[in-house]
Amino acid sequence: IGRFRARLNKGDSWLTRDIGSFFKADVLSPDALEELETRLLLADAGVEATQWLVERLQADINLGRIKNEKQLRASLKKALVELLAPIAKPLQIPPFIKPYILFVAGVNGVGKTTTIGKLALRLKREGKSVMLAAGDTFRAAAVQQLETWAQRVDVPILAQGEGADSASVIYDAVQSAKSRGVDVVIADTAGRLHTQSHLMEELRKIKRVLQKHDPYAPHEVLLVVDATTGGNALTQAIQFHEAIGLTGLAITKLDGTAKGGILLAIARRMALPVRFVGLGEAAEDLEPFDAEAYAEALIG
Ligand code: GDP
């Protein structure tokens, strides 16, 4: 929790700044809810999540439960946890699925490569053997960058030349993992093709190729989104989910933004498990998403 709070807020809570001044004697100012509403909307929590939270507060006010700052914080925290807990579902890799195929999608720049590297390290530390598949074959730089991460966290990587067929790179990696007894294959995928429909078609094709051999593969379809892009992160999540069917999200760059409200919007709109959050650029800066810790960090 301490780490979350330190990384997320940098000592400044966009949500609860000065909320002590919302009270006169033990009466909450009539403008307080409006102010909280504005703060939530400015942090990209979205209209639905914001309204839902404000209604929860209003209910507690009506019951006479919010008479001081401490009670307001407690009420806010309870509502936030209620909103976020259903999407805080860590990635569970069953030991009997081997190799477990983890497909990682995301638009260029969101932190996809970094997240793959961090994830490889995390799984390795949990005692799993990991192999990377360099499926973003459209940019030579993407393959190089993934190779750098593979070296840094010391896991094998399967790559082919620029322009190679992404589906066959990933398929070959899975075959190689099978013969070597590797536990988890993390497959990188293209982040931008000529058009968005090309991108989605490419991703669907990879899924089809994998499913020919195992109807349940890939076992996790993780989309990486960038919290600093606010509403775009939600739009991307909705579009990718419609096109390829996601099973989880990783939300990056929560350390560098006052727009952490996007998690609230995602919770309200998508009910899609948030597996991980990125809290920095280093290999260790990926944490499982914890609703309680996050709510606590927002409250400050
Ligand atoms: P990709 O194009 O999606 O593969 O993105 P990269 O993995 O290359 O990341 C783009 C930039 O975002 C790099 O400078 C990363 O160091 C940075 N980045 C990735 N994740 C995080 C994070 O959680 N926090 C911060 N502050 N930076 C991040």
Side-chain angles (χ1 to χ4, degrees), residues 1-2 4-5 8-9 73-74 76-89 263-264 288-300:
I1 287 178
F4 243 85
R5 187 183 292 169
L8 287 173
N9 288 332
R73 283 180 191 273
L76 248 180
K77 187 183 160 193
K78 188 171 64 123
L80 287 168
V81 171
E82 214 172 299
L83 179 64
L84 292 169
I87 62 162
K89 292 187 196 141
L263 263 158
L264 308 176
F289 178 58
D290 178 325
E292 181 93 14
Y294 191 66
E296 191 102 347
L298 289 188
I299 298 301

Side-chain angles (χ1 to χ4, degrees), residues 107-115 118 139 145 252-256 278-281 285:
V107 171
N108 288 346
V110 294
K112 182 162 54 82
T113 315
T114 309
T115 301
K118 291 170 171 176
R139 292 182 305 158
Q145 211 193 338
T252 62
K253 310 186 197 179
L254 274 171
D255 53 303
L279 297 173
E281 296 190 89
D285 294 334

Side-chain angles (χ1 to χ4, degrees), residues 153-217:
V153 302
D154 191 23
V155 296
I157 176 168
L158 196 138
Q160 291 173 12
E162 190 184 349
D165 179 49
S166 182
S168 64
V169 173
I170 294 170
Y171 179 73
D172 286 354
V174 171
Q175 293 313 308
S176 161
K178 251 181 210 162
S179 65
R180 291 207 235 169
V182 168
D183 296 321
V184 184
V185 174
I186 308 179
D188 191 14
T189 61
R192 185 159 295 134
L193 293 186
H194 187 51
T195 63
Q196 178 155 330
S197 62
H198 277 134
L199 173 59
M200 298 303 177
E201 187 41 53
E202 172 78 13
L203 298 176
R204 279 196 290 262
K205 180 184 154 199
I206 302 170
K207 275 184 86 172
R208 279 199 303 274
V209 169
L210 293 173
Q211 283 167 351
K212 257 190 228 160
H213 303 274
D214 175 355
Y216 299 106

